[in-house]
């Protein structure tokens, strides 16, 4: 039994080999599934594990920014059948630590909950999908597939309306095509919008622009002969504005998260649940923090003093996202607001 050796797929040859390996393991085409990383040589990083001359496994990371947070998504994690249960996956995460990738502020990962909890990931990010009836009155909004020539227009719309996720112009169109999504351009008089549409589930995953949102939904629904259509909430929480007009909604757990910089994560993503002044001292994995809220502002300081409660890293994440089965003090004070694109477009 040889010990796996880990290396970066720095050359084009190795990257092609890694993609072919992933295609074989998952029986899919990752250049179509994740074009934002696998169609671009300089975006993202791919790593491989070898046992002798044989490739044992691979994974990739995709780094991006949200507000002032350094984020990364880990994905395409796969191990050849003959090398499973031999520590290859554990080696992947040890390799990331060794190469300082966990110096990021947060990481996301899609996959089975129990498999990745051991590596510090907790499956807590929810997705809210609202169901709307499609009007029978013919929409005046023109809906068509976006073409390559529309890239500049769509990127300008995104920069005007985006909610803090930084996307590169170089692979912007391919980010929208994640998981084989269809990118649509909507046009009405001198107004434009774009929408990312999941045809299989009749769901709009992202929509920005100048055209009324519900007019966009009707136009897309009519173009695809749907009587109803779903729209993802822009964040991982109930959206009262969408709920007011929706026939109903569904909630699904979709993505795991590992909070690597607690202070920055809370200050950049969390909002106070009320405007009253609160203070809470807690400890995560031996490190102390003081959380303060006042008139809606959230502040975190690192401390060495006494604390109200000690958490293991996974316990802290479950408490923060209110997945403890009962209210925890920290979830009574603040709640994290995560963009929906973390689960459907920025993920790999």
């Amino acid at each position: 039994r040889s010990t796996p050796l880990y290396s970066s797929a720095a050359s084009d040859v190795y990257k092609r080999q890694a993609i072919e390996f992933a295609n074989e393991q998952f029986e899919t085409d990752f250049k179509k599934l994740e074009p934002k990383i696998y169609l671009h040589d300089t975006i993202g990083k791919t790593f491989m594990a070898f046992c002798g001359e044989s490739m044992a496994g691979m994974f990739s990371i995709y780094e991006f920014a949200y507000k002032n947070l350094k984020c990364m998504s880990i994905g395409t994690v796969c191990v050849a059948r003959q090398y499973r249960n031999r520590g290859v996956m554990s080696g992947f995460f040890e390799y990331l630590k060794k190469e300082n990738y966990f110096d990021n502020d947060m990481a996301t990962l899609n996959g089975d909950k129990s498999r990745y909890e051991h590596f510090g990931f907790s499956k807590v990010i929810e997705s809210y999908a609202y169901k709307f009836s499609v009007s029978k009155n013919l929409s005046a909004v023109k809906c068509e597939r976006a073409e390559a020539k529309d890239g500049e227009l769509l990127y300008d719309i995104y920069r005007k309306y985006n909610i803090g996720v930084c996307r590169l112009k170089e692979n912007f169109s391919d980010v929208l095509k994640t998981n084989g999504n269809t990118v649509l351009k909507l046009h009405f008089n001198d107004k434009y919008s774009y929408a990312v549409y999941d045809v299989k589930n009749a769901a709009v995953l992202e929509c920005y622009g100048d055209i009324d949102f519900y007019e966009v939904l009707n136009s897309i629904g009519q173009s695809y002969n749907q009587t109803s259509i779903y729209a993802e909430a822009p964040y991982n929480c109930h959206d009262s504005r969408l709920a007011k007009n929706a026939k109903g909604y569904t909630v699904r757990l979709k993505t795991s998260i590992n909070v690597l910089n607690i202070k920055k994560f809370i200050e950049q993503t969390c909002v106070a649940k009320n405007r009253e002044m609160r203070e809470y001292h807690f400890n995560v994995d031996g490190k102390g923090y003081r959380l303060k809220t006042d008139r809606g502002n959230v502040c975190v300081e690192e401390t060495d003093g006494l604390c109200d409660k000690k958490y293991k890293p996974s316990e802290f994440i479950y408490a923060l996202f209110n997945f403890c089965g009962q209210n925890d003090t920290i979830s009574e004070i603040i709640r994290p607001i995560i963009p929906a694109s973390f689960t459907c477009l920025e993920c790999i």
Side-chain angles (χ1 to χ4, degrees):
R1 282 190 165 198
S2 57
T3 302
L5 297 176
Y6 298 87
S7 66
S8 170
S11 71
D12 293 343
V13 173
Y14 278 119
K15 193 166 186 177
R16 284 198 299 270
Q17 183 181 353
I19 295 171
E20 290 172 2
F21 177 85
N23 289 345
E24 181 180 341
Q25 303 306 313
F26 289 100
E27 297 182 348
T28 190
D29 184 349
F30 271 94
K31 285 190 174 182
K32 293 181 179 179
L33 197 66
E34 295 293 351
K36 63 177 177 281
I37 178 172
Y38 295 123
L39 287 182
H40 299 268
D41 294 333
T42 59
I43 294 176
K45 295 180 176 67
T46 298
F47 303 88
M48 302 177 296
F50 287 91
C51 286
E53 297 295 320
S54 300
M55 189 170 173
M58 68 152 287
F59 72 99
S60 294
I61 63 171
Y62 179 72
E63 295 177 287
F64 60 99
Y66 172 57
K67 295 184 177 179
N68 291 323
L69 290 176
K70 292 168 56 183
C71 312
M72 70 173 177
S73 176
I74 302 173
T76 325
V77 183
C78 54
V79 178
R81 186 176 299 277
Q82 64 270 32
Y83 294 110
R84 292 173 188 171
N85 301 314
R86 290 175 57 175
V88 175
M89 188 178 296
S90 297
F92 285 151
F93 290 95
E94 287 300 320
Y95 184 85
L96 281 176
K97 290 180 181 178
K98 178 182 175 183
E99 297 297 314
N100 298 320
Y101 281 100
F102 282 99
D103 286 347
N104 282 279
D105 300 316
M106 62 161 286
T108 63
L109 191 154
N110 285 343
D112 181 69
K113 172 183 174 181
S114 59
R115 181 179 299 172
Y116 297 110
E117 272 192 339
H118 177 68
F119 304 111
F121 289 86
S122 301
K123 197 163 189 176
V124 291
I125 301 183
E126 296 176 313
S127 168
Y128 285 73
Y130 293 82
K131 186 177 182 180
F132 298 89
S133 296
V134 176
S135 173
K136 294 181 180 180
N137 297 323
L138 185 63
S139 173
V141 177
K142 183 179 180 181
C143 174
E144 58 187 350
R145 277 178 175 261
E147 300 178 5
K149 63 181 177 64
D150 299 316
E152 191 86 26
L153 170 65
L154 270 54
Y155 189 66
D156 287 344
I157 293 173
Y158 180 76
R159 290 186 64 189
K160 180 179 178 181
Y161 289 99
N162 96 84
I163 54 179
V165 180
C166 180
R167 291 178 183 161
L168 301 174
K169 187 175 183 179
E170 180 182 352
N171 73 333
F172 174 73
S173 295
D174 288 324
V175 170
L176 304 185
K177 295 174 185 175
T178 295
N179 293 325
N181 296 320
T182 299
V183 184
L184 301 172
K185 181 180 73 172
L186 292 303
H187 180 208
F188 176 69
N189 293 334
D190 59 346
K191 297 180 180 180
Y192 287 91
S193 292
Y194 79 79
V196 178
Y197 187 57
D198 176 353
V199 176
K200 181 180 178 181
N201 295 301
V204 173
L205 306 181
E206 181 172 286
C207 178
Y208 291 117
D210 301 319
I211 304 172
D212 178 78
F213 177 71
Y214 299 105
E215 288 296 330
V216 168
L217 292 185
N218 278 324
S219 178
I220 295 173
Q222 291 175 9
S223 296
Y224 284 86
N225 298 315
Q226 300 288 339
T227 56
S228 59
I229 189 169
Y230 287 87
E232 292 272 346
Y235 294 99
N236 65 318
C237 54
H238 180 63
D239 191 309
S240 58
R241 295 170 302 174
L242 292 178
K244 183 178 179 181
N245 297 300
K247 294 172 63 178
Y249 67 93
T250 58
V251 185
R252 289 183 295 165
L253 269 177
K254 295 189 71 173
T255 304
S256 298
I257 188 172
N258 191 344
V259 177
L260 305 169
N261 187 320
I262 290 173
K263 172 179 166 59
K264 284 185 67 176
F265 181 82
I266 290 178
E267 291 183 339
Q268 293 296 312
T269 72
C270 292
V271 298
K273 287 194 170 180
N274 55 58
R275 296 181 61 82
E276 71 180 55
M277 184 182 296
R278 295 289 299 271
E279 186 168 316
Y280 180 58
H281 296 253
F282 62 96
N283 184 294
V284 180
D285 203 23
K287 196 168 185 177
Y289 301 90
R290 179 170 59 204
L291 167 67
K292 297 169 65 176
T293 64
D294 184 16
R295 285 173 285 192
N297 297 315
V298 178
C299 177
V300 179
E301 300 174 358
E302 296 182 1
T303 67
D304 295 321
L306 297 175
C307 67
D308 300 309
K309 187 169 183 178
K310 294 182 179 180
Y311 300 93
K312 295 178 181 178
S314 60
E315 290 174 342
F316 167 73
I317 296 176
Y318 282 120
L320 182 63
F321 281 81
N322 199 20
F323 272 78
C324 295
Q326 59 184 14
N327 284 343
D328 187 280
T329 302
I330 197 166
S331 64
E332 292 176 353
I333 301 173
I334 57 174
R335 67 174 180 180
I337 305 295
I338 306 294
S341 66
F342 278 25
T343 69
C344 56
L345 296 179
E346 260 62 50
C347 63
I348 60 171

